[in-house]
Every structure is written in C-alpha cells, then in structure tokens.
Amino acid sequence: MLVGIDEAGRGPVIGPLVVGGVAVSDENCSELESLNLKDSKKYTRQKREELEEVILSLTECTYAEISASEIDSQRHKKTLNDIEVELFADVLLRFPQATKIIVDACDVNPVRFGEKICARSGVPSIISEHKADATYPIVSAASIIAKVQRDRRIDQLKEVYGDFGSGYCSDQKTIVFLRKYIKKEGGLPLIARSSWDTAKKLLEEYYQRPLDIFL
C-alpha cells in the first residue's frame, strides 16, 4: 500500500493547520496516476472538491488538524516543524499496511524531516522531499484532501467571525479584519495565531499607535 502525506495551512495567521493522508492499493494505483494530479494550490476550490470525490473513490483518506490556539500553546516548547512531524506521524500510523510512504517535507532539510517522522512513528523508512506534491500523484492527492478540509474549516470559522479573507498574512482583507477585531476587543481572536510575527506586529501597532491608526 502506497501512502502520501501533505499539509495545508502552515503559513496563515488565521485558522488550523491540516495534514492529509492518502493510501492507495496496488490495484488502484495506476488509476490514481491517470488523474495527473498536481499540487492543490494549482486548482480552483471547485476543482479540488471534484477531485476529492474521485480520490475518495479510489483510496483511503484521513486527516489530522491542529487549531490556531493549540499551535500557539505548543510553540512555547516546540518548533512548527516539530508540530508537523507529530501530525504527519499521527496520520501515518492510521495506515498500518503501508509499504511505501512519501511525504512533502516541511523542513528545509527533507532528510531530517523524514528521519524525525520515522523516529516518531516507528516506520523504518520514508521518502521525504520538497515539492513532493508536484512529483508524486499520491502526495498531490494528500495535498488536495488537506486543502479541501482546511477550506471547510475556514468556512465554519467565517460563520462565527464573519469574512476574514483567506487567513494568509499577505491578504489585506485578513489584516483589516484583525485590526478591526483588535480595536474592538483589545486582543486577537482565538482563531488567530498569536505566535505569528504578523499578529504580534498588529498588537504592537495597536498598543503603540497614534490615535488614528486603527480608525
């Protein structure tokens, strides 16, 4: 059984980090490859959801996620890479029949990332590469599963907090939302990663502001 693992939501200042895992049998491997899958970011949301249905019909899928507040809590004692190692290992252990495992490395050192997952999960070997989601269809599938799940979780958060954009630091809509929230509440929402530099800078701006900055 071939297993691929990838994440979605490593960088955003708002929302969870999701790790997706996909396992395909030898019988369905060629059919999965025939889909010519790519990194989830190359597709529209509608296309990702269409592909998810096909992937689910051919494979076993799972995911693990960690909320923004839990990321902040763990980052007091762990790096983000260490948090991801634990999530990747958690997903991997749900596929005890795996014979080959490929992951999209989050660490600048892909070999180290794979070795840490092996140590955490007890599996003997893992293929860990940068851009694996663009090279291996099984990892592309995992990327799609993770991204679709994160999109759905973001939708749920927007039902509570309103439209905050994509949640990424480069999204001006996200920044405006956080500024307004900080102005109203005097702090960040629980869905924001307070350990992120972007969040820290917005708080600093607010508490050191001239009176008109957050108007």
Side-chain angles (χ1 to χ4, degrees), residues 178-209:
L178 289 174
R179 280 201 172 108
K180 288 182 177 179
Y181 191 96
I182 292 169
K183 179 185 176 184
K184 180 180 179 182
E185 303 293 341
L188 292 160
L190 288 175
I191 60 171
R193 302 178 189 179
S194 61
S195 56
W196 257 230
D197 286 344
T198 297
K200 292 177 182 177
K201 288 176 182 177
L202 288 172
L203 284 174
E204 288 174 4
E205 280 182 20
Y206 178 71
Y207 287 110
Q208 299 174 8
R209 72 198 184 287

Side-chain angles (χ1 to χ4, degrees), residues 2-212:
L2 175 64
V3 172
I5 306 175
D6 197 7
E7 56 80 21
R10 176 182 171 91
V13 67
I14 291 179
L17 167 63
V18 180
V19 173
V22 174
V24 65
S25 64
D26 293 342
E27 292 78 10
N28 289 337
C29 195
S30 60
E31 191 168 354
L32 181 69
E33 290 179 350
S34 72
L35 297 175
N36 295 315
L37 297 175
K38 299 176 286 188
D39 172 12
S40 63
K41 294 186 288 295
K42 302 294 185 181
Y43 297 111
T44 64
R45 177 170 182 171
Q46 179 179 344
K47 184 61 176 179
R48 284 194 297 267
E49 292 177 352
E50 291 173 359
L51 288 170
E52 180 201 30
E53 291 187 17
V54 180
I55 293 167
L56 289 172
S57 72
L58 295 172
T59 68
E60 296 178 33
C61 300
T62 188
Y63 68 89
E65 69 176 86
I66 182 170
S67 68
S69 58
E70 184 60 23
I71 289 172
D72 289 334
S73 175
Q74 292 197 26
R75 285 198 75 192
H76 289 299
K77 52 186 181 296
K78 302 174 186 175
T79 67
L80 185 59
N81 285 348
D82 288 337
I83 293 171
E84 292 212 42
V85 164
E86 293 179 3
L87 290 171
F88 274 59
D90 177 21
V91 167
L92 174 55
L93 288 171
R94 300 178 196 180
F95 300 117
Q97 304 304 315
T99 55
K100 183 178 181 180
I101 303 122
I102 309 173
V103 304
D104 194 349
C106 302
D107 195 325
V108 294
N109 184 331
V111 174
R112 176 175 60 194
F113 188 69
E115 289 174 345
K116 286 185 175 182
I117 297 172
C118 286
R120 179 83 182 182
S121 64
V123 301
S125 65
I126 287 174
I127 297 172
S128 175
E129 297 181 7
H130 292 147
K131 305 294 185 182
D133 54 357
T135 307
Y136 301 96
I138 191 68
V139 184
S140 304
S143 171
I144 291 166
I145 293 299
K147 179 61 174 169
V148 168
Q149 180 57 33
R150 177 177 154 83
D151 285 345
R152 290 173 179 154
R153 188 68 72 226
I154 290 298
D155 286 347
Q156 293 171 352
L157 295 178
K158 287 181 178 180
E159 290 178 4
V160 177
Y161 290 90
D163 188 359
F164 50 75
S166 66
Y168 281 82
C169 303
S170 59
D171 187 342
Q172 191 59 30
K173 192 169 189 176
T174 297
I175 300 304
V176 169
F177 164 81
L178 289 174
R179 280 201 172 108
K180 288 182 177 179
Y181 191 96
I182 292 169
K183 179 185 176 184
K184 180 180 179 182
E185 303 293 341
L188 292 160
L190 288 175
I191 60 171
R193 302 178 189 179
S194 61
S195 56
W196 257 230
D197 286 344
T198 297
K200 292 177 182 177
K201 288 176 182 177
L202 288 172
L203 284 174
E204 288 174 4
E205 280 182 20
Y206 178 71
Y207 287 110
Q208 299 174 8
R209 72 198 184 287
L211 292 178
D212 61 345

